[in-house]
Amino acid sequence: MSTIRKAYMEISNGIRGLRFHRDTATSSSSDNSNNNSSSNSNGTVGAVASAAGALKPGTNLPSEEACKTSGSLPTVRTSKSVVHSEESAVAHAMSRLFPNKYSQSSPSSSPTSSPRTETSRNHDSKTLTNQHSSSSTSSCTSLQTSTAKSSSFPSSSSSSTSTSVNKLAVNGDAQVSQNGRPSPNLSSVRRVSKENVFTQTKLVGSPKAGIASRIRKLNLSMTGQKWCAKPETISELMNDDAFMRKFFLYFSPNERRFLCIVCRKWRTILYESTTYWTGATPVIDFKLWVGDPGKRKLCFDHFQQRGFDQVCFLSAVDRDLSDFVCSTPGARRSLRAVCIRCSNITDSALENLLRKAPGISRLELSNCNEVTGSGLWACLNPKIQSLTITDCIHIADDTVGAIAQLLPHLHELNLQAYHVTDNGLALFDSKLNSSIRILRLTSCWEVTNHGVVNIIHSLPNVTVLSLSGCSKVTDDGMEIIAENMKRLKSLDISWCSRITDASLEYVACDLGSLDELILDRCTHVTDIGVGYISTMTSLTRLFIRWCIQVGDFGLHHIFSMRNLRVLSIAGCRRLTSNGLYGLRHLQRLHELEVTNCPGANSAVCRYLKDNMPNTLILE
């Protein structure tokens, strides 16, 4: 292989084998320059440099026969000896390949170079300059050629070189020319060529097939996460699954039910996680699907997909509950709360539901007139912690006995039964029912002060007590409650027509930790009773709606209750505008209700809104 071809291969390997666009311009005198450069067999290094410089992109290599006819076949040398023994020759060839880059910087010659080597370099440079006049200004070597023809003898070459070449002073690694400008050394030239070679060339071809998939696999192996493009527009953001999963968390369950009907993608995202529906209670009205079994099945499927833990049934019959149990095998195991309202279900349907859904801990039966006490004896689950029974006409004392015996973990009992008496309340046991904390007896007309005594002895740990509508309870019963139930936090004695100011005196003296007091429709409570209540500093919620004997004097007592947060004086007809103006003193109030008060005109309400900006005023 010829020396020129080897030099070309070495330079190509030095720039990492990149292929470049070929220039259209070709040099017609490349063969002459190669023949002239090979005339001196001893100056092989100079021939390599000049030949590499003449090899511009697009120049054809001279054939071996042409070299033989000219009689100047170059000496064969290995590529390693050419590159590593003469680094200046490689730099010279690089400057020839990239004339624009190295027009202003040239490596200095080695101080150990022989005079004959320098002469041959000058002779090759002059020859190339005459042949390629268009690139003479851009190509620059480490030695400047003289205008006179150089001699082939060492003595004459030395004298001609001394007149045309700038004198160089070598000081360590830095080289300085005669005119004071720094001349870069070989290492700096090589460093520049490696860093900027890609900016001056243009790659040919396209990336290899499958490179994108390989990049994704590499990213997955290094990070453990799949590579995906980030959304850049609003439309892409609204369709990005990861973003929408976090975006939906900022809405309430009631708002998410409307987001489900925006598009199928949003519905799929909302249905795939049960987190979005925690605390939501779907209402299934079976009356709407009497003649449409397709909608009934679709509703059951959506219920199971969303994973609700509570449900409310309306207008249900036995067949509806059995269909629900059979159509939602996964959801019935996750049910925790069931509410059945205005339904004609029997004891057998309720028993079947509670047996198939053993995880139910909250049960509400409202206006279910077919449910009896014996049915509750057969189906009540010991895991139930909250039980609400309202407007069920067959509920009586035997039902209270079933509750007391079968529900040892009961925490809350809400009972509205017209046939429950004091004897039913006596069935509670202080040891078996010690977990009850909330007891609400609403419209239990047959309960008297004796029933109150039974509650005190059987349920000593009650903190929330409601006797709303128990019209037979009097001041004596309130005195017993105040003396024995010191842990009370909330007390509701609304619609108790026999309660007077004396009961409020007992409450104010003994229930110092009371937080909420409800006195709605207590028609015998006057300003004096409100004065007793005003001494309770722990009270934060006070309701005296439709207490028709409370006037401005009693309202003035309330102004001293600085810890009040909620106050309702709706329907108090004796209150005037002058008394209502004083409510501005209650600056810590969060909610104020003044509906149906004749003195609460538009001017008073506007004044209160201006002076109580942090209070919600219901007018």
Side-chain angles (χ1 to χ4, degrees):
M1 185 183 294
S2 63
T3 306
I4 298 175
R5 186 181 297 273
K6 290 181 179 179
Y8 181 81
M9 292 177 60
E10 287 296 333
I11 295 170
S12 299
N13 293 333
I15 57 176
R16 301 184 185 278
L18 293 176
R19 294 182 293 125
F20 309 99
H21 283 296
R22 295 180 179 272
D23 297 336
T24 56
T26 58
S27 175
S28 61
S29 59
S30 59
D31 294 339
N32 297 331
S33 62
N34 293 330
N35 295 333
N36 294 333
S37 62
S38 61
S39 59
N40 191 353
S41 58
N42 295 329
T44 307
V45 177
V48 172
S50 61
L55 281 175
K56 292 186 178 181
T59 305
N60 297 327
L61 291 174
S63 62
E64 189 174 358
E65 294 180 358
C67 296
K68 290 181 179 180
T69 55
S70 60
S72 57
L73 187 62
T75 306
V76 178
R77 299 181 65 181
T78 60
S79 58
K80 286 188 177 181
S81 61
V82 172
V83 175
H84 299 290
S85 62
E86 299 292 346
E87 294 182 350
S88 60
V90 177
H92 182 71
M94 292 295 293
S95 65
R96 289 292 189 177
L97 283 175
F98 307 102
N100 295 332
K101 179 66 181 176
Y102 299 99
S103 60
Q104 302 297 331
S105 61
S106 60
S108 61
S109 60
S110 175
T112 60
S113 299
S114 61
R116 181 168 179 80
T117 303
E118 295 179 358
T119 304
S120 61
R121 291 180 184 176
N122 293 336
H123 177 72
D124 296 336
S125 299
K126 183 176 181 300
T127 305
L128 293 174
T129 303
N130 295 332
Q131 293 176 354
H132 306 282
S133 58
S134 60
S135 60
S136 60
T137 57
S138 61
S139 62
C140 180
T141 61
S142 61
L143 300 178
Q144 302 292 332
T145 59
S146 62
T147 56
K149 186 176 291 185
S150 58
S151 175
S152 60
F153 295 96
S155 59
S156 60
S157 63
S158 299
S159 59
S160 61
T161 304
S162 61
T163 59
S164 60
V165 180
N166 294 329
K167 295 181 179 180
L168 304 178
V170 180
N171 184 10
D173 293 335
Q175 299 180 4
V176 183
S177 62
Q178 189 176 6
N179 55 5
R181 294 184 180 179
S183 178
N185 55 13
L186 181 61
S187 61
S188 63
V189 173
R190 296 178 65 185
R191 182 176 63 255
V192 171
S193 64
K194 290 180 181 179
E195 293 176 354
N196 301 324
V197 66
F198 294 104
T199 62
Q200 301 200 8
T201 59
K202 186 176 181 181
L203 286 173
V204 177
S206 59
K208 294 182 179 180
I211 187 66
S213 61
R214 277 183 280 176
I215 290 175
R216 294 191 187 99
K217 291 180 181 179
L218 179 61
N219 180 74
L220 179 63
S221 63
M222 295 178 62
T223 63
Q225 299 178 355
K226 289 186 177 181
W227 179 87
C228 57
K230 294 183 179 180
E232 298 180 356
T233 63
I234 296 297
S235 178
E236 293 178 357
L237 193 64
M238 291 294 104
N239 286 280
D240 185 65
D241 294 353
F243 172 78
M244 296 309 299
R245 288 188 185 97
K246 296 181 181 180
F247 179 70
F248 289 143
L249 294 176
Y250 291 91
F251 296 91
S252 64
N254 186 39
E255 294 170 336
R256 293 187 191 116
R257 67 188 183 95
F258 295 104
L259 296 175
C260 288
I261 61 178
V262 173
C263 62
R264 293 182 179 179
K265 188 176 184 63
W266 286 19
R267 184 177 65 184
T268 303
I269 295 174
L270 288 169
Y271 279 17
E272 69 183 6
S273 177
T274 60
T275 307
Y276 300 124
W277 309 107
T278 302
T281 304
V283 179
I284 301 178
D285 192 353
F286 291 100
K287 184 173 59 177
L288 302 176
W289 304 327
V290 173
D292 195 347
K295 287 186 177 180
R296 178 195 296 258
K297 184 178 183 304
L298 182 62
C299 176
F300 292 159
D301 292 341
H302 288 179
F303 181 88
Q304 189 166 355
Q305 286 179 10
R306 285 188 261 189
F308 290 107
D309 60 348
Q310 49 191 347
V311 63
C312 177
F313 298 126
L314 294 179
S315 306
V317 295
D318 293 352
R319 185 176 64 86
D320 297 330
L321 291 185
S322 61
D323 289 346
F324 175 80
V325 171
C326 297
S327 302
T328 59
R332 70 191 184 195
R333 289 190 292 268
S334 61
L335 275 181
R336 296 294 178 268
V338 174
C339 174
I340 306 175
R341 297 177 181 174
C342 304
S343 300
N344 293 324
I345 62 172
T346 61
D347 296 337
S348 60
L350 182 61
E351 181 181 359
N352 182 36
L353 175 64
L354 295 179
R355 186 178 69 255
K356 293 294 183 62
I360 294 177
S361 60
R362 288 191 300 162
L363 178 62
E364 179 182 348
L365 301 175
S366 177
N367 199 8
C368 298
N369 294 325
E370 300 297 328
V371 177
T372 63
S374 58
L376 292 178
W377 271 102
C379 67
L380 284 181
N381 186 354
K383 294 182 179 180
I384 293 178
Q385 299 179 2
S386 176
L387 179 62
T388 302
I389 302 176
T390 59
D391 290 331
C392 297
I393 59 176
H394 295 294
I395 301 302
D397 291 341
D398 57 343
T399 304
V400 178
I403 295 171
Q405 297 296 323
L406 299 177
L407 303 179
H409 303 291
L410 191 64
H411 175 78
E412 178 180 357
L413 175 61
N414 303 310
L415 188 61
Q416 181 185 0
Y418 309 110
H419 305 294
V420 173
T421 63
D422 298 337
N423 296 329
L425 297 179
L427 298 175
F428 286 106
D429 184 78
S430 59
K431 294 182 179 180
L432 188 61
N433 305 117
S434 60
S435 61
I436 296 179
R437 297 291 185 274
I438 301 173
L439 178 63
R440 294 187 178 98
L441 302 177
T442 306
S443 299
C444 295
W445 299 332
E446 302 298 328
V447 175
T448 63
N449 293 336
H450 294 287
V452 172
V453 173
N454 294 334
I455 292 173
I456 292 172
H457 291 296
S458 303
L459 306 173
N461 298 324
V462 171
T463 58
V464 177
L465 177 63
S466 175
L467 299 175
S468 178
C470 298
S471 55
K472 293 184 178 182
V473 177
T474 63
D475 293 337
D476 295 335
M478 291 305 302
E479 182 180 7
I480 298 172
I481 291 173
E483 290 179 353
N484 297 278
M485 305 184 75
K486 303 291 185 179
R487 300 180 181 179
L488 277 182
K489 298 293 182 182
S490 176
L491 178 61
D492 183 4
I493 51 176
S494 58
W495 294 86
C496 293
S497 57
R498 299 186 182 186
I499 298 297
T500 63
D501 294 337
S503 298
L504 300 184
E505 183 180 5
Y506 301 142
V507 170
C509 293
D510 297 328
L511 300 179
S513 60
L514 198 65
D515 182 71
E516 180 182 30
L517 180 60
I518 303 176
L519 301 173
D520 297 344
R521 295 284 182 174
C522 292
T523 56
H524 295 289
V525 173
T526 64
D527 295 339
I528 298 175
V530 175
Y532 293 141
I533 297 172
S534 63
T535 60
M536 303 177 66
T537 57
S538 62
L539 206 62
T540 60
R541 301 168 61 89
L542 178 61
F543 300 88
I544 53 175
R545 289 175 288 213
W546 298 97
C547 292
I548 56 178
Q549 296 193 34
V550 176
D552 292 342
F553 183 72
L555 191 60
H556 279 283
H557 291 294
I558 297 178
F559 296 159
S560 62
M561 304 176 69
R562 303 298 183 183
N563 293 327
L564 269 184
R565 298 295 181 268
V566 179
L567 174 63
S568 177
I569 53 177
C572 296
R573 299 187 175 275
R574 295 185 61 183
L575 297 177
T576 64
S577 300
N578 295 330
L580 294 175
Y581 278 124
L583 291 172
R584 67 181 184 275
H585 298 292
L586 301 176
Q587 291 297 325
R588 295 185 178 180
L589 213 59
H590 294 166
E591 183 178 335
L592 174 64
E593 184 181 8
V594 293
T595 56
N596 296 318
C597 290
N601 51 38
S602 59
V604 173
C605 293
R606 191 182 309 109
Y607 175 81
L608 294 177
K609 289 180 180 178
D610 294 339
N611 291 272
M612 305 172 69
N614 299 325
T615 304
L616 175 61
I617 298 177
L618 305 176
E619 52 179 314

